[in-house]
Amino acid sequence: MTEALFAGMDQLFTLSTMATMLLGVVAGVIASAIPGFTITMAIVLTLPLTFTMAPLQGIATMLAVYVGGYSGGLISAALLGIPGTPSSVATTFDAFPMARSGQPGRALALGIWSSFFGALVSAIVLIIAAPPLAMIAVKLGAWEYFSLIIFAMTVVASLVGKSMLKGVMTGLLGLFIATVGADPMMGVARFTFDIDLLANGFPFLVVLIGIFAVSQLLQEVEDAEQTQHGKQLIPANVAFKPLDALRETLAYPINLIRSSLVGVFIGAVPGAGGSIANLLAYDQAKRASKTPEEFGTGTPEGVIASESGNSATSGGGLIPMIALGIPGSAVDAVLMASLMVHGIGIGPRLILDHGDLVYGMFMAMLLAAFMVLVVCLFSMRFFLRVTNVPRSVIVPVVLVCCVVGAFALNNRVTDIYLLLGVGIFGYILSKLDYPLAPLVLGVILGPIAETNLRRALMTDENWTLFFTRPISLTLLILAVVSVAFAIRQRLRQRPSEKTA
């Protein structure tokens, strides 16, 4: 192991490898800061460039894009209220209100440090516990996956806003939207009403961009004349104090570690990913907080939880890939393809046959985390200049980026029409004071829940297996406890609201 570690470090710490990693970090941060341009897209575009590189240099460059991508989504989430990637949805809940209240620099700095510590924790866990954690993840069958999604759906209770009824309604609406289009198991068309526009359903990324980006841009256009901030999106106070933000981040050590570990575990579960991890980490932070009513208003706890949780999935996703040859996400599948291009077999023997490469990947994750930190700290003052850009410029530019991102997903013009329709619908919902986050959560989790429920029942029609398999039962019990705890919290808040 020691020999493999030093051999991997010897290959990694070369001028050419570190230079391409630095370029990868910059590319990942910029790509994920553009609404609609996902980390997966950035990785796929990077893949052909690594074919002529040595195996470790190629995979290290792609890992740099990967880690940088998880941090870059913070920029548009905080400054525009638009998640740059699906894994930064929860970041908008508190980072954007903090920026709108005149502290954009603080929001970005908190997110940068939280993202760094999340990536650091995930890399350390990856090095120490990759094989045992992978064995736990691989034992999850369809029953456990379904129960895990049920548990994840209890996050809705923390995202409902002022009205529990409105939050549940939008969550159910999201689940319904996820059923439109082709059946994920049999390919049969559902709820399309013979309308060509609905034949392919509502792609998740289109819903995400429409709900959070287009509806937000419409709101900005409406508020252009009335807002107290004049023509700018947020106040032009661009103070950026990273050391103050570091102290503030470390003032919440339990939140930071808990959220990072949530991200690692969710990342290690194939098919889950950062879009679930950041919401679940945010939810757990809100439940554990002494001031849960401040979440959604710009509290640092929310920013720390979301960013550390989503960045920690980067290391977690590599656990099943390295130990078992199972990709944890689409990005991990591309990383596997990169290894196979270089003639390296993927599977349980990877760490035995190519120990130097695997430990080189571990060290690349650590190095990428530090590179992202340095790049972000030095570039944030540039990104903060967005606060000085007039609405008349930034709104059309962002809208064009959204349209290009939606089209690039499947190269379908119909996705652009869906994007605009979903955006207008999201704008109407927000005007009627319906929370948007539960709808997006329903669209994310609906297909995963349906697929695993049907897969479980096709394997064995005995529905009691959901309650007799230990891990599945534990997750369902946690779901019930989670809902009960959320209801109890809301009942406690009602007397204080009446008093206020």
Side-chain angles (χ1 to χ4, degrees):
M1 184 182 296
T2 306
E3 289 180 6
L5 176 62
F6 283 109
M9 290 175 64
D10 185 53
Q11 296 177 49
L12 181 69
F13 291 101
T14 63
L15 185 61
S16 59
T17 301
M18 294 182 69
T20 55
M21 282 187 67
L22 184 60
L23 290 174
V25 164
V26 174
V29 171
I30 293 175
S32 58
I34 301 171
F37 202 98
T38 65
I39 301 172
T40 306
M41 291 181 189
I43 289 282
V44 169
L45 291 176
T46 307
L47 178 60
L49 304 177
T50 65
F51 290 164
T52 57
M53 300 179 186
L56 182 56
Q57 183 182 5
I59 202 74
T61 302
M62 294 178 73
L63 286 173
V65 177
Y66 187 25
V67 178
Y70 273 111
S71 299
L74 158 75
I75 298 168
S76 57
L79 300 182
L80 303 175
I82 301 168
T85 63
S87 60
S88 55
V89 169
T91 305
T92 62
F93 300 161
D94 283 290
F96 187 54
M98 186 182 289
R100 291 299 290 263
S101 67
Q103 304 176 84
R106 181 188 176 204
L108 287 174
L110 282 172
I112 290 167
W113 284 112
S114 304
S115 187
F116 167 70
F117 285 117
L120 200 62
V121 168
S122 76
I124 293 169
V125 172
L126 175 66
I127 294 169
I128 296 172
L133 273 177
M135 291 309 298
I136 294 173
V138 81
K139 287 182 180 178
L140 300 182
W143 300 268
E144 287 77 18
Y145 274 114
F146 177 75
S147 299
L148 175 64
I149 298 304
I150 293 297
F151 174 53
M153 282 182 178
T154 62
V155 173
V156 169
S158 294
L159 305 177
V160 293
K162 297 177 182 177
S163 170
M164 177 75 79
L165 178 61
K166 288 184 176 180
V168 172
M169 286 175 64
T170 52
L172 292 174
L173 180 61
L175 290 174
F176 172 73
I177 289 173
T179 64
V180 176
D183 175 341
M185 299 289 288
M186 309 299 292
V188 179
R190 303 180 302 186
F191 303 113
T192 60
F193 307 104
D194 292 327
I195 300 174
D196 292 338
L197 187 66
L198 302 178
N200 295 298
F202 289 84
F204 162 60
L205 191 64
V206 171
V207 175
L208 177 72
I209 301 171
I211 287 292
F212 283 110
V214 178
S215 64
Q216 178 65 37
L217 294 175
L218 290 173
Q219 185 67 50
E220 294 297 342
V221 171
E222 181 188 359
D223 294 344
E225 298 300 325
Q226 294 125 16
T227 181
Q228 59 180 344
H229 307 315
K231 294 183 179 181
Q232 296 164 341
L233 284 169
I234 56 179
N237 176 11
V238 292
F240 184 65
K241 301 176 180 178
L243 292 181
D244 290 348
L246 173 60
R247 284 189 286 269
E248 190 171 10
T249 303
L250 295 177
Y252 300 96
I254 296 175
N255 183 12
L256 189 63
I257 295 171
R258 180 187 57 243
S259 301
S260 298
L261 293 178
V262 167
V264 171
F265 176 75
I266 295 298
V269 176
S275 55
I276 296 176
N278 80 119
L279 288 165
L280 201 55
Y282 183 89
D283 170 67
Q284 295 306 307
K286 184 175 181 180
R287 293 172 191 273
S289 175
K290 295 179 181 178
T291 54
E293 68 281 356
E294 293 182 5
F295 277 69
T297 62
T299 178
E301 289 181 85
V303 180
I304 292 168
S306 171
E307 279 303 300
S308 58
N310 90 65
S311 290
T313 57
S314 58
L318 293 179
I319 291 172
M321 188 193 90
I322 289 174
L324 301 165
I326 300 172
S329 65
V331 174
D332 298 318
V334 179
L335 292 174
M336 286 177 60
S338 176
L339 288 172
M340 287 187 283
V341 164
H342 290 285
I344 296 168
I346 303 296
R349 291 194 58 84
L350 176 63
I351 199 167
L352 297 175
D353 298 338
H354 303 280
D356 56 339
L357 176 68
V358 172
Y359 281 97
M361 290 170 64
F362 291 164
M363 297 307 297
M365 287 291 293
L366 281 171
L367 181 59
F370 282 96
M371 282 185 169
V372 170
L373 176 66
V374 173
V375 168
C376 286
L377 288 179
F378 278 98
S379 63
M380 279 308 122
R381 294 187 187 279
F382 168 76
F383 284 111
L384 277 168
R385 292 183 182 178
V386 170
T387 61
N388 295 317
V389 179
R391 276 190 175 89
S392 58
V393 174
I394 202 165
V395 169
V397 169
V398 173
L399 183 59
V400 168
C401 289
C402 293
V403 170
V404 171
F407 177 75
L409 180 65
N410 296 303
N411 292 326
R412 290 197 301 253
V413 176
T414 53
D415 284 352
I416 298 175
Y417 301 144
L418 289 175
L419 172 73
L420 298 176
V422 169
I424 294 170
F425 181 63
Y427 170 73
I428 294 170
L429 285 179
S430 63
K431 296 301 290 183
L432 296 175
D433 204 25
Y434 279 83
L436 302 179
L439 187 148
V440 173
L441 187 67
V443 175
I444 295 172
L445 300 180
I448 305 173
E450 179 190 1
T451 300
N452 285 288
L453 175 62
R454 293 175 63 181
R455 190 175 290 158
L457 295 177
M458 288 169 68
T459 304
D460 192 324
E461 294 183 359
N462 183 6
W463 59 269
T464 59
L465 287 173
F466 289 103
F467 304 98
T468 56
R469 292 171 68 101
I471 298 177
S472 177
L473 177 62
T474 302
L475 290 168
L476 290 175
I477 291 172
L478 287 173
V480 173
V481 171
S482 178
V483 172
F485 185 78
I487 293 173
R488 180 168 168 266
Q489 265 193 329
R490 290 190 71 82
L491 291 175
R492 275 186 171 185
Q493 288 174 19
R494 279 184 180 178
S496 60
E497 288 173 0
K498 289 180 180 178
T499 305

